[in-house]
C-alpha cells in the first residue's frame, strides 16, 4: 500500500515553496529557530489570531483585551520569579557531543524504566527537587551516572559518562543604554502574562469588570531555547495568545475544569480530529503553577504540548504586591474582607497552532495527467482559516472574459482576500490554489457573457456549480465565514 503520510520534511518544504514560512535571514544562511511568515502564511496566522481573539473577547462578556509592552521594568521579572527560576538545566554528554535538557531526560527515563508510580520513582523525584532547590546540581550529575542513564542519541544504546551539568536563564537580557550597569539590564519578555498582571489595577479602575473576569492578550515573546530544531514548534521568537482569568481563591477547581473544557472545545471546533488531542497533567510544575495541564496535539513527531492551562494561584499578584508596594486586593462582599485573586491561565503558542493547523491540512493525492500519475500535496484548510477565500479566473486570456473577471475581483476584494489569475491552463491554476488552501475558484467563461453566471469549483467537495454574479458574495461568505466556527463554541 502507498504511504500517503506527510513527513516533517514535506511540511517544512511546502511551507517554504508556497510562501507560508521562510527561514529568517536566509540569504545569510539563516538563524536557528527564527522564522518569517510569507505572503500566505501571514493570512493564515492572522486568521488563527482573529479566531482566538474573538472567541475570548467578543463571545465572553467578562473578558477584555490588552496590548502591553515587550520591554518592562526589570523588577517585574524579579517579582515573577523569572530571574531566579526561569532556567533550564542541561547535561552534557561527551560521546554524543550534545546537551540534553535534564527534565526531558528524566521524563524519558521514568517512561522507559519506571512506567508505574513506584516508591523509587517518588524517591527519585523528591531527591531531584531537593537538590535543585539547594542548587546542588553536582549531586544530580552523580545520580545520573549512578542510575546509568543512556544518552538518547547514542548509536548503540551504550553507557556513556555524563561530564557536565549547567544551567542558564532563558530570558534575553539587553542593555537599554550603552555601558548600562548589569543590575539595570532589561529583559525581552518570556511570557505576555506579566503585562496583564501589572495592569490588573488599571483594568479594575477603568472598566466595569468584577471577579470573576479575564484579560486576554496576544504578543511576541522571546526565549533562549537551546534545543530548537523543530521548525515552528520550538522557536526563540514567537507569539503567545494568553488569557488570565481572575477568580475567588475558593473557586480554583471549578474554573480550572471550566477552562480545560472550554479550550478543548475551541481546538476541536477547527476539525483537525478528536483523536489528535489529549490532556497531560504536569508532574514537574513551572515555578508559578500549583496545577498544570497541557492540551497535547499529535504532531508528526508525536503528542506534544500545544496549550498550557495553569492554576497560578495568587503567586504573581502577591509577589507584585511585595515588590511594587501596591495593593492587589479586592473586596469579598460575603465575608466582608479583602483577598488577592487567584488566576487560571490559558496559554497557547500562535506559531505552534499554525504548525498544528497547517500540518494537519496537508494531504497527499495522486492525480492522473493523461496517461501519467502524479503525486501532489493539497492544503485542506478549514475555509474560515484559508489565506485566500476565492480565486477569480477568466477561462482563457480573452479580452471580454478578462474584463468581466477583473470587474468581479474589484467588486469583491473589499469583502474578501482574493486572487486574480489569468496565466496557465485552468487545471494548473486550480492546482496552485489547492496547494495554498483556497476553498473556492470562480471561473468566468463565454456563457457568463450571456447568462451573468460563473462556475464555482469547491476545493473539497468534488463539486462545481453555476451561480449568478450577484449571488457570489453570499456564496463565498457562506463557505468561508468564521461564524461557522463560532457557532460550534456555543
Ligand atoms: N504564561 C505561561 C507560559 O508561558 P508555557 O507553557 O511556557 O507557559 C505557553 O508556554 C505556550 O507557549 C506553550 O503551550 C506553547 O504553545 C507556546 N510555546 C512555549 N515555548 C515555545 C517555543 N519555544 N516556541 C513556540 N511556542 C512555544
Amino acid at each position: 500500500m502507498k504511504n500517503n503520510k506527510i513527513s516533517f520534511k514535506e511540511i517544512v518544504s511546502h511551507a517554504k515553496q508556497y510562501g507560508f514560512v521562510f527561514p529568517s535571514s536566509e540569504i545569510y544562511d539563516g538563524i536557528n529557530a527564527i522564522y518569517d511568515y510569507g505572503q500566505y502564511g501571514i493570512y493564515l496566522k492572522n486568521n488563527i489570531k482573529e479566531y482566538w481573539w474573538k472567541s475570548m473577547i467578543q463571545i465572553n462578556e467578562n473578558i477584555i483585551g490588552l496590548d502591553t509592552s515587550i520591554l518592562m521594568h526589570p523588577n517585574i521579572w524579579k517579582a515573577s520569579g523569572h530571574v531566579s527560576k526561569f532556567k533550564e538545566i542541561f547535561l552534557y554528554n561527551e560521546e554524543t557531543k550534545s546537551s540534553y535538557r535534564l527534565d526531558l531526560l528524566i521524563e524519558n527515563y521514568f517512561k522507559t524504566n519506571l512506567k508505574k508510580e513506584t516508591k523509587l520513582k517518588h524517591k527519585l523525584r523528591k531527591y531531584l527537587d531537593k537538590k535543585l532547590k539547594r542548587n546542588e546540581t553536582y549531586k544530580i550529575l552523580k545520580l545520573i551516572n549512578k542510575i546509568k542513564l543512556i544518552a538518547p542519541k547514542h548509536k548503540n544504546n551504550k553507557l556513556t559518562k555524563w561530564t557536565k551539568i549547567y544551567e542558564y536563564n532563558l530570558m534575553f537580557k539587553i542593555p537599554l543604554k550603552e555601558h548600562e550597569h548589569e543590575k539595570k539590564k532589561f529583559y525581552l519578555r518570556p511570557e505576555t502574562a506579566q503585562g496583564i498582571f501589572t495592569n490588573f489595577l488599571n483594568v479594575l479602575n477603568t472598566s466595569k469588570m468584577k471577579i470573576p473576569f479575564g484579560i486576554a492578550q496576544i504578543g511576541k515573546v522571546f526565549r533562549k531555547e537551546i534545543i530548537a530544531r523543530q521548525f515552528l514548534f520550538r522557536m526563540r521568537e514567537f507569539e503567545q495568545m494568553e488569557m488570565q482569568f481572575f477568580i475567588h481563591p475558593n473557586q480554583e477547581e471549578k474554573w480550572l475544569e471550566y477552562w480545560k473544557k472550554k479550550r478543548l472545545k475551541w481546538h476541536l471546533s477547527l476539525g483537525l480530529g478528536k483523536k489528535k488531542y489529549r490532556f497531560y497533567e504536569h508532574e514537574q510544575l513551572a515555578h508559578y503553577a500549583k496545577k498544570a495541564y497541557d492540551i497535547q496535539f499529535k504532531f508528526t513527531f508525536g503528542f506534544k504540548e500545544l496549550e498550557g492551562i495553569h492554576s497560578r494561584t495568587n503567586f504573581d499578584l502577591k509577589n507584585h504586591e511585595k515588590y511594587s508596594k501596591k495593593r492587589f486586593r479586592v473586596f469579598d462582599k460575603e465575608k466582608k474582607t479583602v483577598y488577592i485573586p487567584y488566576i487560571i491561565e490559558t496559554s497557547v503558542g500562535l506559531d505552534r497552532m499554525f504548525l498544528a493547523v497547517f500540518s494537519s491540512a496537508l494531504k497527499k493525492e495522486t492525480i492522473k495527467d493523461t496517461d501519467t500519475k502524479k503525486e501532489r500535496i493539497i492544503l485542506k484548510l478549514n475555509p474560515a482559516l484559508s489565506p485566500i477565500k476565492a480565486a477569480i479566473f477568466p477561462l482563457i486570456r480573452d479580452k471580454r472574459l478578462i474584463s468581466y473577471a477583473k470587474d468581479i475581483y474589484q467588486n469583491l476584494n473589499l469583502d474578501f482576500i482574493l486572487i486574480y489569475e489569468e496565466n496557465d491552463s485552468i487545471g494548473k491554476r486550480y492546482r496552485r490554489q489547492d496547494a495554498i488552501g483556497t476553498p473556492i475558484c470562480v471561473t468566468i467563461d463565454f456563457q457568463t457573457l450571456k447568462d451573468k453566471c460563473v462556475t464555482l469549483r469547491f476545493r473539497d467537495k468534488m463539486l462545481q456549480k453555476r451561480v449568478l454574479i450577484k449571488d457570489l458574495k453570499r456564496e463565498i461568505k457562506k463557505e468561508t465565514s468564521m461564524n461557522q466556527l463560532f457557532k460550534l463554541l456555543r
Side-chain angles (χ1 to χ4, degrees):
M1 226 182 66
K2 243 180 130 169
N3 180 11
N4 270 346
K5 262 196 166 171
I6 300 279
S7 68
F8 188 61
K9 213 170 144 192
E10 284 170 318
I11 295 167
V12 180
S13 143
H14 194 90
K16 183 172 175 214
Q17 194 186 344
Y18 286 93
F20 282 84
V21 183
F22 305 127
S24 163
S25 324
E26 201 184 7
I27 57 166
Y28 294 100
D29 294 335
I31 164 168
N32 211 353
I34 308 209
Y35 290 92
D36 297 334
Y37 285 87
Q39 65 275 26
Y40 300 126
I42 181 62
Y43 286 127
L44 174 55
K45 188 177 170 184
N46 282 345
N47 291 339
I48 297 172
K49 230 190 237 191
E50 184 186 339
Y51 182 44
W52 183 89
W53 186 253
K54 288 188 171 167
S55 311
M56 283 293 176
I57 310 292
Q58 206 163 307
I59 291 184
N60 299 295
E61 273 176 61
N62 59 350
I63 300 182
I64 51 129
L66 288 184
D67 180 18
T68 71
S69 57
I70 287 172
L71 292 176
M72 294 191 271
H73 195 289
N75 280 353
I76 287 176
W77 305 110
K78 282 185 196 153
S80 71
H82 282 81
V83 171
S84 58
K85 305 243 172 60
F86 196 51
K87 289 174 180 168
E88 292 287 10
I89 299 180
F90 291 91
L91 281 157
Y92 184 73
N93 189 277
E94 195 63 50
E95 274 178 64
T96 55
K97 302 259 177 285
S98 300
S99 289
Y100 301 89
R101 248 172 66 182
L102 176 69
D103 60 337
L104 295 184
L105 271 181
I106 295 291
E107 206 177 289
N108 203 28
Y109 177 81
F110 282 167
K111 230 189 259 166
T112 44
N113 296 286
L114 304 169
K115 284 178 194 144
K116 286 194 189 125
E117 188 64 46
T118 58
K119 264 191 184 166
L120 178 61
K121 191 170 172 178
H122 189 64
K123 227 169 121 184
L124 267 175
R125 202 177 289 128
K126 255 183 116 176
Y127 179 85
L128 287 169
D129 282 348
K130 205 161 111 192
K131 297 302 157 205
L132 283 175
K133 263 190 199 130
R134 288 191 188 161
N135 262 340
E136 293 176 337
T137 49
Y138 65 97
K139 288 200 175 161
I140 295 177
L141 184 65
K142 235 169 138 183
L143 173 81
I144 295 295
N145 278 312
K146 198 172 157 194
I147 61 174
K148 300 189 167 112
L149 206 134
I150 288 164
K153 267 206 242 154
H154 201 285
K155 269 187 233 138
N156 313 316
N157 262 4
K158 254 188 13 204
L159 279 182
T160 48
K161 199 161 165 55
W162 298 88
T163 49
K164 225 189 284 171
I165 188 159
Y166 60 97
E167 59 176 14
Y168 74 80
N169 197 296
L170 295 184
M171 286 192 292
F172 283 96
K173 226 184 208 184
I174 51 158
L176 218 56
K177 293 183 199 147
E178 277 307 313
H179 315 300
E180 192 77 279
H181 188 275
E182 182 69 14
K183 278 192 181 149
K184 282 194 179 156
K185 280 197 177 142
F186 278 63
Y187 297 96
L188 293 180
R189 67 178 176 194
E191 62 169 3
T192 69
Q194 295 305 322
I196 295 179
F197 303 143
T198 51
N199 276 291
F200 174 68
L201 295 177
N202 284 334
V203 171
L204 266 194
N205 293 335
T206 58
S207 73
K208 296 223 156 34
M209 290 293 145
K210 295 251 173 338
I211 303 269
F213 76 92
I215 305 180
Q217 151 153 261
I218 301 176
K220 280 251 166 149
V221 299
F222 304 82
R223 292 182 189 179
K224 283 195 285 182
E225 299 282 4
I226 186 166
I227 302 163
R229 289 178 226 101
Q230 290 158 305
F231 193 38
L232 305 178
F233 184 79
R234 197 171 299 286
M235 298 158 84
R236 294 192 167 121
E237 174 184 337
F238 58 100
E239 266 180 275
Q240 283 185 324
M241 306 190 284
E242 297 199 300
M243 193 280 303
Q244 311 297 328
F245 202 70
F246 299 87
I247 56 167
H248 191 287
N250 66 18
Q251 307 235 298
E252 184 190 12
E253 273 301 318
K254 172 186 146 187
W255 286 111
L256 186 60
E257 282 310 306
Y258 174 89
W259 281 108
K260 271 172 67 188
K261 267 198 204 127
K262 191 136 169 141
R263 291 305 301 148
L264 183 63
K265 199 170 183 186
W266 184 86
H267 287 284
L268 292 177
S269 71
L270 293 170
L272 308 185
K274 208 173 171 183
K275 285 191 181 148
K276 288 205 164 168
Y277 301 89
R278 71 180 188 196
F279 276 111
Y280 168 79
E281 184 174 1
H282 274 260
E283 290 173 0
Q284 286 292 112
L285 293 166
H287 63 273
Y288 51 75
K290 187 174 134 206
K291 235 178 180 187
Y293 291 90
D294 289 344
I295 294 180
Q296 292 189 330
F297 183 77
K298 196 173 182 194
F299 291 96
T300 45
F301 40 86
F303 271 105
K304 297 274 174 213
E305 173 182 353
L306 177 60
E307 169 154 3
I309 297 157
H310 313 130
S311 171
R312 293 183 78 127
T313 66
N314 58 9
F315 175 88
D316 300 272
L317 295 186
K318 205 168 70 190
N319 285 331
H320 285 305
E321 257 205 13
K322 194 168 130 199
Y323 276 79
S324 69
K325 311 274 186 280
K326 306 279 185 306
R327 276 170 70 79
F328 286 78
R329 312 263 163 143
V330 292
F331 188 65
D332 186 336
K333 272 187 191 157
E334 269 175 31
K335 292 191 177 146
K336 309 275 184 264
T337 51
V338 288
Y339 66 92
I340 305 178
Y342 268 35
I343 288 156
I344 304 295
E345 166 183 73
T346 73
S347 175
V348 56
L350 175 56
D351 313 81
R352 253 182 222 186
M353 265 313 294
F354 184 109
L355 182 60
V357 168
F358 184 80
S359 56
S360 307
L362 282 180
K363 308 279 175 213
K364 240 183 233 175
E365 275 188 6
T366 311
I367 47 162
K368 278 185 200 158
D369 246 5
T370 49
D371 47 15
T372 57
K373 275 186 183 173
K374 270 191 194 159
E375 217 164 55
R376 64 163 181 154
I377 293 181
I378 166 165
L379 190 61
K380 294 200 170 186
L381 284 173
N382 188 313
L385 300 183
S386 288
I388 307 294
K389 300 304 180 199
I392 315 291
F393 303 150
L395 181 64
I396 55 165
R397 294 180 72 180
D398 173 272
K399 257 191 189 166
R400 286 165 305 163
L401 299 190
I402 287 175
S403 155
Y404 243 87
K406 284 196 170 166
D407 264 2
I408 291 174
Y409 174 79
Q410 293 293 344
N411 284 335
L412 291 177
N413 73 0
L414 280 182
D415 297 291
F416 308 103
I417 305 288
L418 305 173
I419 266 186
Y420 169 85
E421 271 204 334
E422 58 182 48
N423 293 331
D424 294 323
S425 72
I426 200 84
K428 269 193 180 161
R429 281 182 265 166
Y430 282 159
R431 244 152 267 156
R432 267 202 299 272
Q433 295 310 312
D434 287 347
I436 61 166
T438 307
I440 303 172
C441 292
V442 180
T443 305
I444 290 87
D445 54 24
F446 290 103
Q447 187 64 25
T448 309
L449 307 179
K450 291 181 201 147
D451 63 7
K452 307 266 186 295
C453 284
V454 289
T455 304
L456 298 195
R457 179 252 192 196
F458 296 90
R459 184 195 64 206
D460 301 335
K461 293 183 188 161
M462 305 294 283
L463 174 93
Q464 299 207 354
K465 74 171 182 183
R466 281 187 76 79
V467 298
L468 281 164
I469 294 171
K470 72 174 177 58
D471 295 334
L472 252 183
K473 185 171 162 180
R474 198 185 60 212
E475 287 285 339
I476 300 174
K477 196 169 170 196
K478 193 171 90 190
E479 187 69 14
T480 64
S481 165
M482 222 173 249
N483 284 352
Q484 322 166 31
L485 296 182
F486 292 126
K487 276 183 197 149
L488 298 174
L489 300 179
R490 293 248 156 88

